[in-house]
């Protein structure tokens, strides 16, 4: 997915259904500067130093992020089905607004694009920031 352009990623997300809310560990890949020569290197740096993925608790409707070089499980979010800000169709919403001071303006949305692989969008307020992939 790192080689796809932003418009290709958006089309892939629009074409996908939400799928089930994941449960358990999900390995994350940040997609920054998609379709450029830098995307893979940026994803590797982010994975080493900042974010490695998410740990979902589908039954309770929340998750924690794997962050920092030693994989701290922190930054909690609520997880539920809701309309996407990209196209208003159903997606899995990852909502930090009531659970995190640090990330209170962050909202993620994910959809299942193939078995075991979700594509996500990250928003800061209503502004789109980056994309990411989750392998479950």
């Amino acid at each position: 997915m790192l080689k796809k352009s932003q418009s290709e990623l958006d089309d892939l997300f629009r074409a996908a259904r939400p799928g089930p809310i994941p449960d358990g560990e999900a390995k994350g890949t940040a997609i920054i500067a998609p379709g450029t020569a830098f995307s893979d290197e940026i994803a590797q740096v982010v994975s080493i130093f900042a974010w490695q993925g998410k740990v979902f608790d589908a039954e309770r409707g929340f998750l924690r992020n794997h962050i920092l070089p030693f994989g701290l499980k922190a930054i909690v979010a609520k997880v539920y089905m809701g309309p996407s800000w990209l196209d208003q169709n159903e997606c899995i919403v990852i909502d930090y607004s009531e659970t995190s001071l640090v990330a209170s303006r962050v909202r993620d949305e994910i959809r299942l694009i193939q078995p075991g692989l979700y594509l996500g969008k990250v928003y800061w307020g209503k502004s789109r920031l980056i994309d990411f992939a989750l392998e479950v």
Side-chain angles (χ1 to χ4, degrees):
M1 281 196 285
L2 295 170
K3 298 195 183 321
K4 293 188 180 299
S5 70
Q6 187 63 62
S7 64
E8 289 173 316
L9 290 172
D10 290 347
D11 289 346
L12 190 58
F13 187 85
R14 284 184 187 101
R17 310 296 289 158
I21 293 175
D23 195 38
E25 301 269 341
K27 180 181 181 273
T29 302
I31 304 172
I32 301 169
T36 70
F38 307 106
S39 188
D40 186 55
E41 289 80 12
I42 294 169
Q44 289 177 33
V45 169
V46 168
S47 180
I48 292 168
F49 295 107
W51 177 74
Q52 297 83 37
K54 299 179 184 296
V55 181
F56 288 84
D57 184 332
E59 185 178 325
R60 294 184 182 165
F62 78 91
L63 65 72
R64 294 181 193 273
N65 284 275
H66 269 199
I67 60 169
L68 303 176
F70 45 87
L72 179 68
K73 293 176 182 139
I75 310 180
V76 176
K78 289 183 177 180
V79 182
Y80 54 87
M81 297 294 202
S84 169
W85 288 353
L86 184 70
D87 62 9
Q88 286 65 57
N89 291 323
E90 188 173 53
C91 70
I92 299 168
V93 175
I94 301 169
D95 181 356
Y96 299 88
S97 67
E98 297 176 11
T99 57
S100 172
L101 291 174
V102 172
S104 64
R105 298 192 64 208
V106 175
R107 171 188 165 113
D108 298 341
E109 300 177 352
I110 62 173
R111 287 189 180 143
L112 186 65
I113 58 168
Q114 67 183 45
L117 184 62
Y118 288 82
L119 175 60
K121 306 287 180 190
V122 179
Y123 293 86
W124 177 266
K126 289 278 190 170
S127 299
R128 288 226 345 243
L129 291 180
I130 65 168
D131 290 61
F132 64 94
L134 291 172
E135 295 175 63
V136 296

